């Protein structure tokens, strides 16, 4: 399942919960899909942050990914 499909399913479950309610199985599925989405966003953000370099006032360049360990 692609991320777009997961997002669509989360939205579908949300709308169903607002109109008629969810079964316990659907609630668990919704929670799992939300957790997968949050994990993917965090990994994406971490990847972006690891690519940032800053120029110090003395002209040197600090790679923040190397400095802070490229956490995964």
């Amino acid at each position: 399942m692609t991320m777009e499909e997961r997002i669509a399913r989360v939205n579908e479950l949300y709308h169903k919960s607002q109109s008629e309610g969810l079964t316990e199985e659907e609630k668990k599925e919704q929670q799992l899909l939300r957790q997968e989405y949050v994990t993917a966003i965090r990994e994406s953000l971490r990847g972006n942050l690891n690519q940032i370099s800053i120029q110090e006032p003395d002209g040197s360049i600090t790679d923040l990914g190397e400095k802070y360990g490229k956490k995964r």
Side-chain angles (χ1 to χ4, degrees):
M1 184 180 277
T2 67
M3 188 54 64
E4 290 81 19
E5 292 170 337
R6 287 182 178 139
I7 292 169
R9 181 65 178 151
V10 167
N11 289 333
E12 180 183 320
L13 289 170
Y14 169 76
H15 291 296
K16 183 177 179 190
S17 73
Q18 295 299 305
S19 64
E20 60 190 74
L22 298 175
T23 65
E24 287 302 315
E25 184 177 308
E26 289 172 329
K27 288 179 185 178
K28 289 178 185 177
E29 178 187 8
Q30 185 182 41
Q31 185 62 33
L32 177 65
L33 290 170
R34 285 178 175 172
Q35 187 61 40
E36 289 174 356
Y37 177 75
V38 168
T39 300
I41 294 299
R42 285 182 180 158
E43 288 174 1
S44 175
L45 180 59
R46 175 60 57 194
N48 289 335
L49 292 174
N50 283 336
Q51 299 300 318
I52 294 176
S53 297
I54 57 172
Q55 185 172 7
E56 302 293 344
D58 66 359
S60 64
I61 295 182
T62 302
D63 182 338
L64 296 181
E66 288 179 13
K67 183 175 181 179
Y68 294 105
K70 295 194 180 217
K71 297 176 185 174
R72 289 272 172 192

